[in-house]
Each structure stands twice: as structure tokens, then as C-alpha cells.
């Protein structure tokens, strides 16, 4: 009796043998890897264990230690520390591939189990320098104090991780003698007044920075803010409602952290809706009150807070001539405080109508706050 399937079966057996042989050959074929900077070839056992057994790395086993680092049992820690292509691996059987870069070093110590108590160490904002420009630098990250009590040794160990403190760098700009000044307006937009201010700025081809109050950006206010933005002026927030309520209309420091943040973020939202773009994260706080707690609470939300070194005193309504005289006394790098809102600002309008052409005749150029921030800090002393 003949079995026609026998030749096919035989062929299949041969194919399996060939495939198996190829697979065995590929598995046993040496691969080139780099171990601790040395180029080597691994044959059988292409893994961390093979590297150690072949003597290409001779890691020392770590110890079993107490919470304070004292050795309780030598050689009872981790057998090795290994990285494959910068990724940490713990299994000695980790399979390696040709071209892998392997680092093998001594094993880490193993610490006894412990009872841990963790306390948060809050970060603080560090104050540096003086001046009208207040720039927040760095991210605030809380530190910690961990108290460990060893289950075996009974020892106590305290581990401190210092907080990462951001810096509020306060400074005067060093313009190198360049006659630039930053003209700023608070408390707008304000019907009629803001429009008149914008007309005067346009007539004189100068730029200014407006610190707006968010709840005043109503339908008419949106148009005024959009016009100011389109004409190249910098639009910033002076908070949403000028710290009303708990802030008594003048001091964010009297408000909770949540209220402070809301004042700023809602102010941003009002500007964003008016101009159709993300607002500047440069702000001015009501009353210029920018104490340490306010700095800490607002630091993640702002890039800078802007004070002033020339107060036009227009809020006192001393008369247009007196306001103009204050402005005419400007110097290179000065930040001037004026108001386009918050009440009758007709004196301010008349004052800038007089002072701006005068200052231009003296060679001054008007810049936005962002442009002033681009100048380096003046050396103290």
C-alpha cells in the first residue's frame, strides 16, 4: 500500500529542521554590545548574568542597612545595578540585542523597612534687589522633612529635602543712556477717557501699556481694549475687580490665595475675550501691593508685576498742569503711572496732550513694559 502523503510529510520535516537550524544558529551567533565603555561579543546567554559571569563587569553586592546607613548585614543588598540603553533593568536574565549599550555597577544597599512620617516644607519667594520691575524667576516647589524609624534597628533618621524657592527680582532697567520711558495707564477701560487717550497716543505715534480692570471690559470696553491692542499697545491686567470685597478695593494681600488667583485669571479671561489672543502675563496689583504672600500665590500665574517710579498723582486731581510737570520730569528707564479710568480723568487727558510732545522733543522714546523688561538690570550700588 502506498501513502502519497509521506513525501509531503518528509518535506515538512526537512523544512522544520532547516528552520530550527537557522534559528539555533542565529541564537548562538555572537552579538556585539558595549559594556561599561568596552566593545565585546556575547555568545551564549546574551544577558546581564552572562556579562557578569564572563567577568566583563564585577559588581559588588550591596549591603542591608539601617535607616541611618549603618550596615546590618553585609552583602545582603542588590546584586548589581544595570542600565541598558539608559533604561534601568533589575532582571539578570534581561535579553540583550546587538548594539546595546550596557552599564553595570555595584549593587545598591537595601534599607530596612521603616515607619515614615513626612512633613511638607513650603517654599518661599526670595526677594532680590529694588526697583519698579518685579520679575518672577524659577518655579516654586515645596520641600519635605521625612522622619524614618527603623523596624529592625529602632533607629531614627531625618531626611531633609530643601524647597526650591523662586526669586522675585526687583530692579531698575539699565537703558545704557537710551532715552526710553514706559507710560502706563491703570483702571480702564473707561468710556470717553480711554478713547481720548488712544487718540493722543496715535497722534504722537507713541506706545503705552494699559493695566485693565476686567469687569470694566464690557461691550464698550471690549472695543476700546481691542483698539488699543490693534494699535500696538500692551494690554495687561490690573485684576478683575480691583480687589473689591475682602481686598477692600486696594490690597490682594487681604484676600485668600484662591481669591487672589481668581482676580488675575479672570482678568486674563476678560482681555482674551476682547482681543482674541492670549493676554500678557505681566500684571500690576491694585495699589502696587505685591507682598511676599501675594508673590507666592501668584508666582505660577504671572511672569512679572510692574510698579512705577514716577507717580503722576493724577488720581489726586491736582490739575492738568501739575500732572504734566510730573511727566516732564521723566528720565531714561522711568515707568510712569497714570490712570485712564476709575473716575474723571479729563486732567490726565490734558496733561498727556501737553507732556508727550514735550518729552518727544527732548529725545524720549515711549516703549511698552515688555520692551522695558528687555533691558538688563541696573547694577546696584
Amino acid at each position: 500500500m502506498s501513502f502519497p502523503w509521506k513525501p509531503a510529510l518528509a518535506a515538512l520535516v526537512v523544512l522544520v529542521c532547516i528552520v530550527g537550524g537557522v534559528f539555533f544558529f542565529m541564537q548562538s551567533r555572537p552579538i556585539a554590545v558595549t559594556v561599561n565603555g568596552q566593545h565585546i561579543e556575547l555568545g551564549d546567554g546574551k544577558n546581564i548574568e552572562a556579562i557578569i559571569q564572563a567577568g566583563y563587569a564585577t559588581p559588588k553586592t550591596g549591603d542591608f542597612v539601617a535607616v541611618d546607613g549603618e550596615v546590618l548585614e553585609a552583602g545582603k543588598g542588590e546584586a548589581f545595578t544595570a542600565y541598558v540603553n539608559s533604561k534601568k533593568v533589575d532582571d539578570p536574565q534581561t535579553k540583550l540585542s546587538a548594539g546595546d549599550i550596557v552599564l553595570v555597577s555595584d549593587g545598591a544597599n537595601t534599607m530596612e523597612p521603616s515607619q515614615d512620617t513626612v512633613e511638607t516644607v513650603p517654599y518661599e519667594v526670595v526677594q532680590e534687589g529694588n526697583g519698579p520691575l518685579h520679575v518672577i524667576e524659577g518655579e516654586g516647589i515645596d520641600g519635605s522633612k521625612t522622619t524614618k524609624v527603623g523596624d529592625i534597628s529602632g533607629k531614627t533618621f531625618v531626611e531633609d529635602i530643601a524647597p526650591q524657592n523662586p526669586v522675585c527680582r526687583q530692579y531698575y532697567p539699565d537703558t545704557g543712556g537710551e532715552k526710553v520711558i514706559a507710560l502706563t495707564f491703570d483702571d480702564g477701560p473707561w468710556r470717553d477717557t480711554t478713547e481720548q487717550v488712544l487718540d493722543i497716543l496715535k497722534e504722537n505715534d507713541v506706545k503705552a501699556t494699559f493695566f485693565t480692570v476686567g469687569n470694566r471690559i464690557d461691550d464698550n470696553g471690549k472695543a476700546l481694549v481691542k483698539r488699543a491692542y490693534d494699535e500696538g499697545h500692551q494690554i495687561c491686567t490690573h485684576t478683575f475687580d480691583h480687589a473689591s470685597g475682602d481686598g477692600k478695593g486696594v490690597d490682594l494681600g487681604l484676600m485668600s490665595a484662591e481669591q487672589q488667583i481668581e482676580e488675575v485669571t479672570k482678568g486674563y479671561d476678560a482681555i482674551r475675550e476682547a482681543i482674541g489672543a492670549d493676554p500678557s502675563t505681566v500684571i500690576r496689583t491694585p495699589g502696587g501691593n505685591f507682598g511676599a504672600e501675594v508673590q507666592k500665590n501668584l508666582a505660577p500665574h504671572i511672569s512679572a508685576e510692574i510698579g512705577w517710579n514716577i507717580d503722576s498723582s493724577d488720581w489726586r486731581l491736582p490739575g492738568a498742569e501739575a500732572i504734566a510737570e510730573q511727566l516732564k520730569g521723566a528720565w531714561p528707564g522711568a515707568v510712569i503711572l497714570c490712570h485712564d479710568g476709575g473716575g474723571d480723568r479729563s486732567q490726565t487727558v490734558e496733561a498727556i496732550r501737553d507732556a508727550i510732545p514735550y518729552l518727544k522733543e527732548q529725545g524720549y522714546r515711549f516703549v511698552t513694559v515688555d520692551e522695558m523688561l528687555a533691558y538688563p538690570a541696573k547694577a546696584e550700588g
Side-chain angles (χ1 to χ4, degrees):
M1 179 181 295
S2 63
F3 297 93
W5 46 268
K6 285 186 175 181
L9 179 60
L12 179 60
V13 171
V14 171
L15 179 60
V16 169
C17 291
I18 293 173
V19 171
V22 171
F23 179 77
F24 178 78
F25 172 75
M26 295 301 294
Q27 289 297 306
S28 61
R29 184 181 181 185
I31 61 169
V33 297
T34 301
V35 178
N36 295 347
Q38 179 183 1
H39 299 291
I40 67 169
E41 287 194 349
L42 288 177
D44 295 335
K46 303 176 181 66
N47 51 39
I48 303 298
E49 184 177 52
I51 289 174
I52 296 173
Q53 288 180 346
Y56 294 119
T58 55
K60 178 184 177 182
T61 302
D63 299 323
F64 182 65
V65 299
V67 290
D68 65 350
E70 180 185 356
V71 177
L72 298 177
E73 291 186 78
K76 295 295 184 179
E78 296 181 2
F80 62 87
T81 301
Y83 291 85
V84 178
N85 301 324
S86 300
K87 182 179 180 181
K88 193 174 188 301
V89 297
D90 299 313
D91 186 356
Q93 302 300 318
T94 298
K95 185 176 178 58
L96 302 176
S97 301
D100 283 347
I101 298 176
V102 185
L103 298 176
V104 181
S105 58
D106 292 345
N109 293 336
T110 300
M111 184 178 291
E112 67 174 316
S114 62
Q115 303 302 312
D116 299 349
T117 302
V118 181
E119 300 175 58
T120 298
V121 180
Y123 71 83
E124 301 292 338
V125 180
V126 178
Q127 310 295 313
E128 287 188 1
N130 292 285
L133 306 181
H134 313 144
V135 178
I136 303 294
E137 298 176 339
E139 178 185 2
I141 300 176
D142 289 338
S144 63
K145 177 182 179 181
T146 302
T147 302
K148 296 175 175 286
V149 180
D151 289 351
I152 297 173
S153 68
K155 292 185 173 184
T156 298
F157 179 76
V158 177
E159 179 181 44
D160 290 312
I161 298 178
Q164 179 176 301
N165 296 321
V167 173
C168 179
R169 186 165 61 92
Q170 306 181 41
Y171 67 96
Y172 295 91
D174 184 354
T175 69
E178 188 178 354
K179 299 178 77 171
V180 293
I181 51 180
L183 180 60
T184 69
F185 294 91
D186 285 9
D187 293 350
W190 203 259
R191 186 177 295 274
D192 298 330
T193 305
T194 301
E195 185 172 9
Q196 294 176 65
V197 168
L198 288 172
D199 288 343
I200 294 169
L201 297 177
K202 187 174 183 179
E203 289 168 7
N204 289 276
D205 191 27
V206 300
K207 298 296 181 285
T209 300
F210 290 85
F211 290 97
T212 61
V213 177
N215 65 3
R216 294 176 185 166
I217 308 179
D218 54 15
D219 289 342
N220 180 65
K222 286 180 183 177
L224 291 170
V225 170
K226 184 65 162 62
R227 175 188 168 185
Y229 176 75
D230 288 344
E231 292 181 358
H233 304 293
Q234 184 173 347
I235 311 299
C236 303
T237 191
H238 192 39
T239 71
F240 183 73
D241 61 11
H242 211 280
S244 66
D246 290 346
K248 303 186 184 304
V250 70
D251 192 350
L252 289 176
L254 301 176
M255 308 177 83
S256 69
E258 292 75 15
Q259 290 174 322
Q260 293 172 28
I261 293 167
E262 185 177 41
E263 279 281 336
V264 170
T265 55
K266 286 181 67 176
Y268 289 158
D269 291 341
I271 295 172
R272 184 181 292 106
E273 186 175 349
I275 68 176
D278 287 337
S280 167
T281 53
V282 173
I283 73 164
R284 174 173 283 157
T285 55
N289 294 307
F290 193 52
E293 282 302 310
V294 176
Q295 292 172 18
K296 179 176 180 179
N297 295 331
L298 297 186
H301 305 278
I302 70 174
S303 55
E305 195 274 343
I306 305 301
W308 57 86
N309 44 18
I310 294 181
D311 183 351
S312 70
S313 296
D314 59 349
W315 52 279
R316 297 179 185 272
L317 302 179
E321 184 177 348
I323 298 170
E325 285 304 308
Q326 289 283 72
L327 272 61
K328 291 177 181 179
W331 57 85
V335 179
I336 303 173
L337 170 65
C338 292
H339 297 78
D340 65 322
D344 178 6
R345 300 302 175 207
S346 57
Q347 293 181 8
T348 303
V349 171
E350 293 308 310
I352 65 171
R353 195 189 306 278
D354 174 24
I356 289 176
Y358 170 84
L359 289 166
K360 289 188 68 177
E361 289 173 1
Q362 304 306 307
Y364 280 97
R365 181 167 62 89
F366 291 77
V367 298
T368 65
V369 163
D370 271 354
E371 291 173 310
M372 191 66 84
L373 286 168
Y375 287 95
K378 182 177 291 186
E380 294 189 19

